[in-house]
Amino acid sequence: MNILLISHLQKGSGNLHTIERIRTYLSDVDYKCTLTSPDEFDNEDDLKSYVTANSIKLIIGLHAFRAGKLLQDAKINYVLVIGGTDVNEDYRNQNKMNVMTQSVLSSRKIIVFSNGLRRKVQELWPVIPQDKIIEIKQGVQTCPSKFSLTDYIQQHHSDVYTTDMVICLCVGSIRPVKNPLYLVQEFSELHKRRQNIVYVICGPVVDEEYGKLFRTEIDSLPGVIFIPGLPLTDAHAAIQQSFAYINCSNSEGMALAILESQQIQNSMTDIGWGNLAQYEHYGRVGDIKEDFDIISYEDSKGELYSSFKHASHAMLFARNDTVLWDLYKSRAAIMMQMRFDGLIGFPGGLVDPGENPLDGVNRELEEEIGLDLCKHKLQDSDQVVSFVNKRKNLVLHFYGKEVTVNDFSEIEMKTLSAPDYGNETLGMIRPPLYTMGDGYRGLPAFLSNSYAGNSRQELLIGLQHFKILEQDEIEKAVDSWKTFMKTNRQTCGLTNTDS
């Protein structure tokens, strides 16, 4: 039986390794397999001619979009192997989603490599019969070569080489979804304190534009090394010789390098997996204001950021005229929360597959604070600002909505019975919006806390946007906070990275 395998075949890529493994397994049981790229065919008719001429009985395509755009209208028996990029990234782009939907519905079977992928496929295409989705657990075979990672570093990066190097390794293609820049600044800072700690990123540049940004960042960071791809067996050797394997990907569907690392029995740190770990991606101490650029709401939902993670948060507030001790005007009650990780933020979270930012924030508010969407549902007109963090491939959407004092109190009380209370959210916080007589207590002191992502900046923007405080009041509070932090951090021998 002749089988045609269709996948992008860039050297050193995970797609190539995955489709080659599939070919090996099928060839071992006497199927004749031909491996090709979708770019080899001009159109569906070209594919049909090839199939007829070579007596192809079945096509296996890797990725619902990449292979699916060729297969969707070909009217040929084919099976689709779903990748993480399909269900975690490409679905955000409506044109790609249309292609994937057609290719998924027209396929004979759908192959997934994990139960998590199965669930996401079912969420995106609920009309697919259960028996059409086949879950096949992955297996790998590792064959480390005699390649020496330490010798490579000594030869090509002698400035960081030491005889007692501790090498942490990240293997993956250089493109936004793999997020190779995620930990580079942290490892560089660690290298400055301990010269023997080195972070190596190894993989081919798949996205040329992102590759330029990546190289610029890497070149400025001591202790961080880039190896532009290695043969598979050399990569296995590098994993074997490293202290730990680091996975920073926003999207894993096949996870080849992770499985190889586990088989080689290398220590592994996986940044992107786990229940609450998904939030750590953007809510981490060390984020600074300069990491976030303001972009338009329309641009944030466009093609340019379709492969980025998206998160939506909202500021609910009620103006009031209460006065504390006949001295300090409350101005407004604003709802913030203590998160599971000890950081302060606004209610909200990651946008799920198939959602837009507005749907995501309404769903999160219902889950986290029990918001009555029939009464307080947010609209696009409530959007205040959107940010992009290109280093983390993350887009943040910030909304704001004014409610009455009575409604605010009711919402606040309902948070205690919300589904996520006591798990992801640990309690509501009202920031004080006045500055007390010593010039620090009140809002400046509140700004001194540790915040998730850029929640501090969102708070300040919200205060200005809704004219809750005058601009000069905000500036004085910020100046007081920064002065206090600088003085006290210098006293403690710390640096202020959270500003």
Side-chain angles (χ1 to χ4, degrees):
M1 180 176 176
N2 295 334
I3 299 177
L4 179 64
L5 305 176
I6 297 180
S7 169
H8 278 276
L9 305 177
Q10 182 162 4
K11 185 178 180 180
S13 68
N15 285 342
L16 177 58
H17 295 327
T18 296
I19 204 69
E20 284 183 335
R21 283 188 298 137
I22 294 174
R23 178 174 64 174
T24 298
Y25 298 149
L26 292 174
S27 298
D28 286 346
V29 290
D30 296 328
Y31 288 106
K32 183 179 179 181
C33 298
T34 303
L35 182 58
T36 188
S37 167
D39 298 331
E40 294 294 321
F41 304 98
D42 294 330
N43 50 47
E44 293 87 352
D45 291 336
D46 195 13
L47 174 62
K48 289 178 182 178
S49 298
Y50 181 91
V51 167
T52 301
N54 293 275
S55 301
I56 301 296
K57 301 300 182 184
L58 176 68
I59 297 176
I60 298 177
L62 189 60
H63 283 292
F65 174 70
R66 294 173 185 170
K69 60 184 177 181
L70 176 66
L71 297 171
Q72 59 178 332
D73 297 321
K75 297 181 180 179
I76 297 171
N77 286 335
Y78 66 89
V79 172
L80 276 181
V81 180
I82 299 295
T85 303
D86 293 326
V87 298
N88 294 325
E89 306 299 328
D90 285 347
Y91 80 92
R92 303 177 190 276
N93 180 295
Q94 190 58 54
N95 290 332
K96 291 182 178 180
M97 184 61 178
N98 291 340
V99 170
M100 291 194 295
T101 298
Q102 182 61 39
S103 65
V104 164
L105 295 179
S106 300
S107 66
R108 289 283 300 275
K109 294 290 182 181
I110 297 169
I111 306 297
V112 295
F113 290 149
S114 70
N115 190 49
L117 274 181
R118 174 190 284 274
R119 290 196 304 270
K120 289 187 176 181
V121 168
Q122 291 170 337
E123 289 174 5
L124 289 174
W125 299 286
V127 298
I128 297 176
Q130 295 291 322
D131 59 359
K132 184 174 178 175
I133 306 173
I134 300 174
E135 182 180 338
I136 301 177
K137 299 298 185 183
Q138 286 198 98
V140 295
Q141 182 177 12
T142 52
C143 304
S145 68
K146 295 183 179 180
F147 171 80
S148 171
L149 184 56
T150 54
D151 287 351
Y152 180 95
I153 294 174
Q154 184 178 21
Q155 181 179 354
H156 297 279
H157 301 275
S158 58
D159 56 319
V160 300
Y161 172 79
T162 63
T163 57
D164 61 342
M165 279 189 302
V166 176
I167 302 172
C168 295
L169 178 68
C170 175
V171 177
S173 55
I174 307 305
R175 53 192 174 116
V177 70
K178 294 301 180 183
N179 205 9
L181 292 175
Y182 179 64
L183 288 175
V184 293
Q185 293 188 3
E186 287 78 0
F187 268 109
S188 184
E189 289 299 319
L190 191 58
H191 174 78
K192 292 175 184 177
R193 297 196 296 271
R194 293 182 57 185
Q195 296 290 310
N196 65 327
I197 295 178
V198 178
Y199 188 38
V200 177
I201 301 172
C202 176
V205 176
V206 174
D207 184 318
E208 291 298 332
E209 183 177 352
Y210 180 79
K212 294 177 183 178
L213 172 69
F214 171 81
R215 289 177 183 273
T216 300
E217 181 89 2
I218 292 298
D219 290 344
S220 67
L221 296 173
V224 181
I225 294 171
F226 172 51
I227 301 177
L230 289 172
L232 182 59
T233 56
D234 289 355
H236 290 165
I239 292 173
Q240 188 177 53
Q241 296 161 30
S242 62
F243 173 76
Y245 175 81
I246 310 294
N247 173 46
C248 298
S249 177
N250 294 338
S251 168
E252 284 295 359
M254 299 167 187
L256 179 63
I258 296 174
L259 295 175
E260 291 168 335
S261 177
Q262 290 175 327
Q263 187 180 69
I264 293 171
Q265 296 184 334
N266 180 279
S267 299
M268 183 179 71
T269 300
D270 187 350
I271 304 302
W273 289 7
N275 182 24
L276 298 180
Q278 61 178 321
Y279 296 96
E280 200 273 345
H281 176 68
Y282 62 89
R284 187 161 48 86
V285 176
D287 289 333
I288 59 176
K289 184 174 68 174
E290 287 72 21
D291 287 334
F292 299 91
D293 297 322
I294 294 178
I295 56 177
S296 73
Y297 194 36
E298 289 305 313
D299 286 348
S300 72
K301 297 182 289 184
E303 171 72 19
L304 183 60
Y305 303 111
S306 62
S307 65
F308 283 42
K309 285 285 188 183
H310 287 246
S312 297
H313 297 81
M315 183 179 95
L316 301 180
F317 71 97
R319 301 179 195 273
N320 63 49
D321 54 4
T322 59
V323 179
L324 176 65
W325 302 329
D326 295 327
L327 290 174
Y328 306 115
K329 296 180 180 180
S330 296
R331 305 294 183 87
I334 294 176
M335 185 174 294
M336 299 190 75
Q337 63 184 12
M338 176 63 69
R339 296 165 21 121
F340 62 90
D341 53 10
L343 303 180
I344 293 175
F346 286 99
L350 292 177
V351 177
D352 282 346
E355 284 186 322
N356 59 44
L358 183 63
D359 291 338
V361 74
N362 280 311
R363 174 186 52 76
E364 286 285 349
L365 292 179
E366 187 175 35
E367 293 173 358
E368 291 191 354
I369 64 174
L371 188 67
D372 183 351
L373 297 184
C374 293
K375 189 174 182 181
H376 301 297
K377 188 174 184 178
L378 273 68
Q379 307 296 330
D380 279 321
S381 57
D382 295 316
Q383 188 263 356
V384 175
V385 65
S386 292
F387 302 89
V388 61
N389 184 329
K390 293 182 180 178
R391 186 166 67 91
K392 291 187 175 180
N393 307 315
L394 176 70
V395 176
L396 298 180
H397 306 273
F398 184 56
Y399 300 81
K401 189 174 186 66
E402 182 174 359
V403 299
T404 67
V405 171
N406 289 338
D407 283 344
F408 187 92
S409 297
E410 181 182 332
I411 294 169
E412 203 169 39
M413 291 299 295
K414 285 186 67 175
T415 62
L416 298 175
S417 57
D420 288 344
Y421 182 79
N423 180 24
E424 294 182 21
T425 62
L426 304 182
M428 294 300 112
I429 299 173
R430 295 188 185 190
L433 302 182
Y434 44 78
T435 300
M436 299 180 71
D438 61 0
Y440 174 69
R441 287 181 298 164
L443 180 57
F446 187 80
L447 295 175
S448 302
N449 288 297
S450 294
Y451 291 80
N454 65 339
S455 297
R456 182 193 289 113
Q457 187 181 5
E458 289 173 337
L459 171 61
L460 297 173
I461 289 175
L463 293 174
Q464 180 185 34
H465 178 83
F466 292 106
K467 296 181 171 54
I468 297 172
L469 294 182
E470 297 296 332
Q471 183 62 31
D472 65 323
E473 293 178 298
I474 298 173
E475 291 175 356
K476 287 179 181 178
V478 170
D479 288 343
S480 178
W481 152 58
K482 288 187 174 180
T483 299
F484 178 86
M485 293 298 289
K486 181 178 180 180
T487 302
N488 284 271
R489 284 178 178 268
Q490 287 176 345
T491 301
C492 298
L494 301 173
T495 58
N496 182 17
T497 61
D498 189 31
S499 60

